[in-house]
Amino acid sequence: MNAVLQPTGEGSLSISQRLAAHAAAFELEAAPADVIEAAKLCILDALGIGLASTTFDFAHRSLAGVAALAGVGEHVVIGTDRRYGARDAALLNGILIHGLDYDDTHPASVVHASASAVPVMLAEGLRNRASGARALAAYLLAVEVDGRLGQHAGGWWQKVGFHPTGVVGAFGAAIAAGYLQRADASILAHAQGLVLSMASGSMEFLEEGAWTKRFHPGWAASSGITAATLAVHGFESPQRAYEGRFGLFNTHLGSHAPAGTEAVLDGLGEHWEMRNVAIKPYPVCHFNHACGDAALALRAEHGFDSGEIVSVTARIHENQMPVVCEPAAAKRRPQSDYDAKFSLPYFIAACLVRGRFGLAELEDDSLRDPQILALCDRVQCEHDAATAFPKYFSGYVEIVLRDGRRLVRREQVNRGAQARPLTVAEIEQKFFANAGLAVPASQAMQLRDAVFGLDRAAGLEPLCAALARA
């Protein structure tokens, strides 16, 4: 394969070729210190969630299914004693990181970038004996690509039925995998053209509270590894993966395909999407968070009991409502923990009844709690004309009490977002709480130290050893 990028038929380099050229030349030293530190925190958060997931039924079933297909390999599956080939380990690790819907989000793109980027970093970083710095650089490349592609759609991915984490995550994964294989720009361009035929992720899971969303980032990671490796071995692909007549934007978004696709590249290498990734304080869809914060703040400030509430009005952007508010009857009676993660009425009601929201509020006893369900029936969802969506996931809550009081609170910026980040202490606290569900405190501390020292590590072996079940 020719290592020199050849202009497309239109006489200029395509978007995939220009992304490839940037990635091929990238070194971690080009990233500002705050970007590198943000990356480490997101990786730590993702791995802690992956450990916590191993205590849930969906993880056991996922492990059993992949075990029926996988052969023995050298790649660790988070929180287990199993080692599989690179693609199978990446698939499972993506499921584990995303399975609780507690992982980070790039708000403007609504992409859970770490859920596909970290599995690729682990699998291909170890397979290619990359240094910690190069593995961290690959992770950053994936996040940058995912954030740029995702937000360019202007919030339309989910409205037309695609889960952007599965769709654009495959492209970031392909670039990260190729980078760790030390592919040149021409090969990285072909990796993107190849993964175009693999990128998907349907939103149909919302109709039944099904598990398929959990699968999307792992499949994106596995697909990216496959595409990059085929490209390295000479498999050719289309060079206009994004803007082509049957490229990503036209096929997946149809009439909503954005104009001016060159904007994907604006500020590349100078404006860092890593800075915009939000770490979640709650294990539910990120669209819900600001309303939960508003409800809890009102409860704490005014000290009312949930039985005193006559009605609750929650406002978010109309593009978010089909995901967490509709159909209204179904959202008021979630049938599973995963169903509940995508129910704004349930989330607000549980916050107001329990005064908190954690993994316990997704257990069966909470889903059947008569107080929570009764309050669900009094929650109405409306469009918020003053929202900052899609830059931030704003939330407005109005509570009317029996004594006539009308309590209102707006959270314009969701906690964890760039303008309102969680502190390092809060992120570490979340990590230790999640990791502690699966491993001893000493192992969790070993893992934390390995992540924080990643840019100075000779390889990924210590990190992977800290991830395995003793």
Side-chain angles (χ1 to χ4, degrees):
M1 186 182 295
N2 192 342
V4 178
L5 289 172
Q6 299 295 327
T8 65
E10 299 192 356
S12 61
L13 294 180
S14 67
I15 293 171
S16 56
Q17 289 174 325
R18 292 165 68 183
L19 284 173
H22 169 76
F26 182 67
E27 297 289 345
L28 187 63
E29 291 77 10
D34 70 298
V35 168
I36 294 173
E37 293 309 306
K40 292 179 185 177
L41 289 172
C42 285
I43 293 168
L44 182 73
D45 181 59
L47 296 177
I49 297 162
L51 287 169
S53 289
T54 62
T55 66
F56 287 80
D57 186 51
F58 76 85
H60 305 153
R61 293 175 184 270
S62 301
L63 286 162
V66 173
L69 296 169
V72 177
E74 65 170 337
H75 299 278
V76 67
V77 177
I78 295 170
T80 77
D81 57 3
R82 306 188 188 194
R83 293 186 182 269
Y84 295 136
R87 287 186 299 176
D88 290 324
L91 171 60
L92 283 168
N93 287 336
I95 291 172
L96 292 172
I97 290 170
H98 189 54
L100 295 176
D101 223 278
Y102 208 178
D103 50 314
D104 62 48
T105 310
H106 180 273
S109 63
V110 201
V111 171
H112 299 267
S114 292
S116 54
V118 170
V120 172
M121 180 195 80
L122 293 173
E124 286 298 273
L126 186 65
R127 189 168 76 92
N128 293 283
R129 300 297 182 258
S131 68
R134 190 163 185 87
L136 193 51
Y139 167 84
L140 276 175
L141 285 170
V143 172
E144 291 301 310
V145 170
D146 292 356
R148 288 170 175 276
L149 293 177
Q151 68 185 317
H152 192 60
W156 277 101
W157 292 113
Q158 289 167 313
K159 287 196 74 174
V160 298
F162 285 106
H163 181 209
T165 297
V167 176
V168 304
F171 291 93
I175 288 178
Y179 178 82
L180 287 166
Q181 294 184 46
R182 294 194 175 274
D184 61 31
S186 176
I187 291 172
L188 289 171
H190 280 284
Q192 293 167 80
L194 270 162
V195 90
L196 171 63
S197 288
M198 309 176 198
S200 189
S202 167
M203 295 293 290
E204 182 63 18
F205 72 91
L206 285 171
E207 298 302 302
E208 304 169 37
W211 289 8
T212 46
K213 181 174 181 284
R214 290 174 160 134
F215 169 80
H216 295 164
W219 188 250
S222 179
S223 297
I225 291 170
T226 302
T229 307
L230 285 171
V232 163
H233 287 83
F235 202 108
E236 297 184 359
S237 74
Q239 296 295 283
R240 300 176 73 237
Y242 307 111
E243 70 273 40
R245 181 162 67 105
F246 300 115
L248 175 69
F249 294 124
N250 286 324
T251 55
H252 286 62
L253 297 172
S255 62
H256 303 294
T261 49
E262 292 290 311
V264 169
L265 303 165
D266 286 351
L268 185 63
E270 298 174 1
H271 172 81
W272 294 87
E273 295 303 328
M274 185 72 244
R275 289 181 172 136
N276 299 324
V277 176
I279 291 178
K280 283 186 173 185
Y282 300 112
V284 299
C285 177
H286 231 137
F287 289 170
N288 294 341
H289 287 208
C291 286
D293 275 344
L296 287 170
L298 289 173
R299 185 184 190 274
E301 180 180 355
H302 298 282
F304 53 82
D305 182 84
S306 62
E308 301 175 58
I309 298 172
V310 174
S311 66
V312 179
T313 301
R315 292 178 184 165
I316 59 174
H317 193 276
E318 60 187 358
N319 282 4
Q320 298 171 287
M321 291 177 66
V323 178
V324 295
C325 301
E326 300 169 2
K331 294 301 182 184
R332 291 187 178 120
R333 291 294 182 274
Q335 298 302 301
S336 68
D337 61 336
Y338 215 66
D339 224 3
K341 290 173 182 288
F342 295 88
S343 168
L344 183 56
Y346 177 82
F347 177 58
I348 291 175
C351 284
L352 290 171
V353 171
R354 300 281 180 88
R356 64 182 185 275
F357 199 101
L359 292 171
E361 278 62 56
L362 295 165
E363 297 290 343
D364 287 346
D365 65 329
S366 297
L367 298 180
R368 295 191 297 266
D369 186 321
Q371 281 185 280
I372 294 176
L373 296 178
L375 188 52
C376 280
D377 291 334
R378 302 197 290 275
V379 178
Q380 302 290 330
C381 300
E382 297 178 354
H383 169 61
D384 182 10
T387 181
F389 180 83
K391 185 175 183 180
Y392 303 117
F393 301 149
S394 307
Y396 168 98
V397 171
E398 176 183 312
I399 298 173
V400 177
L401 300 177
R402 286 179 182 169
D403 61 11
R405 282 183 292 166
R406 175 178 167 273
L407 311 177
V408 173
R409 187 177 179 96
R410 169 179 291 281
E411 298 286 351
Q412 192 69 357
V413 178
N414 56 291
R415 194 157 50 97
Q418 178 195 17
R420 197 182 169 194
L422 299 183
T423 66
V424 173
E426 288 174 323
I427 295 167
E428 286 197 45
Q429 182 180 22
K430 177 186 172 184
F431 164 74
F432 282 117
N434 283 327
L437 296 176
V439 299
S442 58
Q443 185 173 347
M445 291 180 69
Q446 180 186 357
L447 178 57
R448 179 200 61 184
D449 293 345
V451 172
F452 284 169
L454 196 54
D455 51 336
R456 302 181 300 277
L460 295 188
E461 288 80 4
L463 175 62
C464 291
L467 278 173
R469 186 173 68 197

